[in-house]
Amino acid sequence: MKITLSILAYDDMKDLFVFELENRSYFEKMVPSRGEDYYDFTMFKKKNSMLLDEQAQKLSYFYLLKDELGHIVGRINLTDIDKDQQLGHIGYRVGEKHIGQGIANKALQLLLANVSHHGIYQIAAKTTTNNIASQKVLEKNGFTYTGTSSEEFTMHGQNVQFVYYRWGDSEAIFNE
């Protein structure tokens, strides 16, 4: 499947809300819940409007992954940007109907090819110990494992920990 990265816009709110609702239980198997209020459309718009403000200030970038027909199949975000360290943090999610199709891998490749346009040359990532697919996507795209949290938390009756990764384009940093 061919995908594109589309920068989040206010016009996407309804479709994004439907995507998040359809995939809520699937996502919450791998990452902590966003909370009940996230799934109230009024609150959803309010929270995502705050993200759009962050994006306008170039503190974060939020992308939708869209298929050839323009349907949302996932998301990828570059957040908590530290301009001094040229560092951002990445997060992504692919809808349940679209897993196993290489979408997260393609999305990460597209993002990594373009992060330097935002002055970002290093990216931190974290996932959970039970999310092996995400760990593989990160490693396949040049992220290096940097450690596992010593703290455990329970998610769906399973004890998990956060796993940390780092990506860096050190040549680009030194060539600036």
Side-chain angles (χ1 to χ4, degrees), residues 90-154:
I90 196 154
Y92 51 87
R93 51 177 55 193
V94 174
E96 186 173 20
K97 294 187 299 192
H98 305 288
I99 60 169
Q101 299 176 33
I103 292 171
N105 185 54
K106 290 176 192 174
L108 192 48
Q109 287 173 357
L110 289 170
L111 186 77
L112 292 175
N114 291 297
V115 292
S116 65
H117 298 301
H118 300 304
I120 304 300
Y121 297 99
Q122 299 180 78
I123 298 176
K126 76 177 177 183
T127 187
T128 52
T129 49
N130 65 332
N131 195 342
I132 304 302
S134 187
Q135 293 172 41
K136 287 180 180 178
V137 167
L138 291 167
E139 290 169 4
K140 189 174 186 177
N141 282 282
F143 281 74
T144 303
Y145 168 81
T146 60
T148 301
S149 171
S150 60
E151 294 181 31
E152 283 188 345
F153 60 96
T154 304

Side-chain angles (χ1 to χ4, degrees), residues 138-175:
L138 291 167
E139 290 169 4
K140 189 174 186 177
N141 282 282
F143 281 74
T144 303
Y145 168 81
T146 60
T148 301
S149 171
S150 60
E151 294 181 31
E152 283 188 345
F153 60 96
T154 304
M155 192 169 61
H156 299 290
Q158 184 179 15
N159 289 339
V160 296
Q161 298 161 280
F162 284 117
V163 181
Y164 300 97
Y165 287 86
R166 191 83 162 203
W167 175 88
D169 187 351
S170 58
E171 284 184 34
I173 294 170
F174 296 119
N175 289 331

Side-chain angles (χ1 to χ4, degrees), residues 3-21:
I3 62 158
T4 57
L5 295 184
S6 173
I7 195 86
L8 179 63
Y10 191 80
D11 292 344
D12 295 311
M13 291 301 160
K14 186 176 179 185
D15 291 340
L16 181 57
F17 183 70
V18 169
F19 170 81
E20 291 289 345
L21 274 178

Side-chain angles (χ1 to χ4, degrees), residues 50 52-61 83:
M50 292 185 330
L52 291 173
D53 290 343
E54 264 186 60
Q55 187 168 265
Q57 296 173 49
K58 300 181 180 184
L59 301 173
S60 297
Y61 296 95
K83 298 252 186 222

